[in-house]
Amino acid sequence: MRKSKLKIPIDQIFPDPDLPRTKRANGRRENTRSVRSKRDPVVLVTDSGYLLLAGERKLSAAKEAGEILVECTVKEEVTEQERWELSLAEQYHSSLVPAMDLGRAFMEYRDTHEVTQQELARRTGITPGTIHHYESLIRTLDPALGERVNSGELTFKEARSIADIEDHARQREIAQPFIEGRLSSVHVERIVGRAKTSATLTIEDII
């Protein structure tokens, strides 16, 4: 896969129709899982211009700043697997999909290509620990709370910590004051830690 760095006219770059578009949370709180990426846009040379494979956020910033050219990583060819990897990285860095959907996307890619979390991390630039956290939401978090994560009522940080509790009923109990806005994310690790060591205490007793 040949690639190079070039400054490309912004009006010659067009979006990938297969790339998921940004979804905003409908809940009362913004989901704080997003990671702002400063990576250069990645484009694929086509007969009609340059197809944007990753880096939508930086490209949008350049447009808003009134710039005419933007530095890009230019690829002359890309396999379907490489395109999938670029899409996963773009979804993570730009928060293009909700956290639960991203966890499923990681798992689907790894099942399809039979790779470890470490190998996916190497291919996307996302840390193995981060991939593990997203996938753990799918494996261990109560599905009803997963819906709360996607709606923005429960943050990724809160869900990641609460998922460490095995019992789904206990997870829902611990999550309730965070969903209601009575507790903020800064308290979640302490609350979950106490819930683990004091299984008989109610969430109100723990608070």
Side-chain angles (χ1 to χ4, degrees):
M1 178 177 60
R2 296 176 59 187
K3 62 182 181 180
S4 59
K5 286 277 190 180
L6 289 175
K7 286 194 173 182
I8 304 294
I10 290 177
D11 61 6
Q12 293 182 19
I13 301 173
F14 59 95
D16 182 353
D18 295 329
L19 191 66
R21 311 310 297 171
T22 302
K23 297 179 182 179
R24 297 189 182 277
N26 296 320
R28 292 177 291 103
R29 294 186 294 164
E30 178 184 359
N31 197 317
T32 57
R33 73 169 182 88
S34 62
V35 177
R36 296 189 178 276
S37 174
K38 296 181 179 180
R39 299 183 309 165
D40 289 336
V42 179
V43 298
L44 176 67
V45 178
T46 73
D47 292 338
S48 54
Y50 298 90
L51 176 66
L52 180 68
L53 300 178
E56 180 187 42
R57 182 164 282 172
K58 187 167 183 179
L59 180 64
S60 296
K63 288 180 180 179
E64 292 173 2
E67 297 177 15
I68 300 175
L69 303 174
V70 62
E71 186 168 59
C72 299
T73 297
V74 181
K75 296 180 182 292
E76 295 184 4
E77 58 182 5
V78 63
T79 67
E80 286 303 311
Q81 182 174 352
E82 291 164 342
R83 189 166 175 173
W84 194 351
E85 292 158 2
L86 285 166
S87 176
L88 288 174
E90 178 75 347
Q91 290 171 41
Y92 169 69
H93 286 292
S94 301
S95 297
L96 291 177
V97 297
M100 301 300 293
D101 292 354
L102 186 53
R104 293 187 190 95
F106 286 152
M107 293 175 69
E108 181 184 0
Y109 173 92
R110 294 204 307 110
D111 289 344
T112 299
H113 295 288
E114 299 181 341
V115 300
T116 64
Q117 291 176 344
Q118 288 74 19
E119 177 62 14
L120 177 56
R122 185 186 70 79
R123 289 173 175 270
T124 60
I126 304 168
T127 67
T130 296
I131 294 171
H132 168 76
H133 285 316
Y134 279 98
E135 291 189 2
S136 71
L137 295 185
I138 307 304
R139 293 192 176 96
T140 63
L141 187 67
D142 177 77
L145 293 182
E147 295 178 6
R148 300 284 194 170
V149 176
N150 278 357
S151 71
E153 295 172 273
L154 195 66
T155 69
F156 174 69
K157 177 181 178 180
E158 291 161 359
R160 183 186 68 189
S161 296
I162 292 169
D164 286 340
I165 297 174
E166 294 183 2
D167 182 71
H168 282 183
R170 184 66 159 164
Q171 287 182 5
R172 292 192 296 271
E173 180 190 4
I174 299 304
Q176 197 57 38
F178 294 97
I179 293 171
E180 294 172 351
R182 292 193 288 131
L183 289 177
S184 71
S185 296
V186 297
H187 302 293
V188 67
E189 292 178 357
R190 178 180 62 84
I191 294 296
V192 169
R194 290 201 63 191
K196 285 181 175 180
T197 58
S198 306
T200 60
L201 290 180
T202 69
I203 182 58
E204 297 304 326
D205 290 336
I206 292 172
I207 293 173

